[in-house]
Amino acid sequence: MPSRDVVEAFAKRLEAGDFIGAIEQFYTPEAATYENNAAPTVGRDKLAAKERGVLAASKEVKAVRIGPSLIEGDHVATRWSFSFTNAEGIIRTLDEIAWQTWRGDQLIEERFYYDPKQLGH
């Protein structure tokens, strides 16, 4: 079960824009993430590479936590608002729920739930 301090430190890394640092510090080497019902991305290195791709495709990415992270045993739920600014200055906002499973103070699985229409897909 993650401590409140660890969950808060993770969220603060994201809010500071250090998405790669958050992956490297808090995810296990075998961690998996799921985008809605898509096949998972497995492995911390693959997760960091995928995130680098998202960041490279955007001029700016901002994360804002909406309300507190809810912790129950090994599970954490957080509502996020992400803003992606592309090279032309167009901003797309994504309202998502992140459902995490932790092993101690490390993330082993994260599932993102959102409406992909928010990103214009």
Side-chain angles (χ1 to χ4, degrees), residues 39-50:
T41 301
V42 180
R44 183 172 52 210
D45 293 342
K46 287 183 182 177
L47 294 169
K50 182 178 177 181

Side-chain angles (χ1 to χ4, degrees), residues 12 20 38 42 77 86 95 99 109 117:
K12 287 184 187 321
I20 304 301
V42 180
N86 69 15
D95 186 2
W99 177 261
E109 182 180 284
K117 291 178 185 171

Side-chain angles (χ1 to χ4, degrees), residues 89-102:
I90 296 170
I91 300 172
R92 302 234 188 251
T93 301
L94 177 70
D95 186 2
E96 100 178 359
I97 301 293
W99 177 261
Q100 302 169 332
T101 302
W102 292 70

Side-chain angles (χ1 to χ4, degrees), residues 5-55:
D5 289 344
V6 166
V7 171
E8 291 299 317
F10 174 79
K12 287 184 187 321
R13 290 288 289 265
L14 297 182
E15 291 173 319
D18 188 8
F19 303 102
I20 304 301
I23 291 169
E24 292 173 344
Q25 180 179 352
F26 293 100
Y27 288 65
T28 65
E30 69 279 4
T33 65
Y34 297 77
E35 300 277 338
N36 286 327
N37 293 321
T41 301
V42 180
R44 183 172 52 210
D45 293 342
K46 287 183 182 177
L47 294 169
K50 182 178 177 181
E51 193 66 23
R52 283 185 185 94
V54 169
L55 295 172

Side-chain angles (χ1 to χ4, degrees), residues 49-66:
K50 182 178 177 181
E51 193 66 23
R52 283 185 185 94
V54 169
L55 295 172
S58 304
K59 186 169 135 184
E60 182 178 46
V61 179
K62 289 185 181 178
V64 176
R65 189 166 37 157
I66 310 297

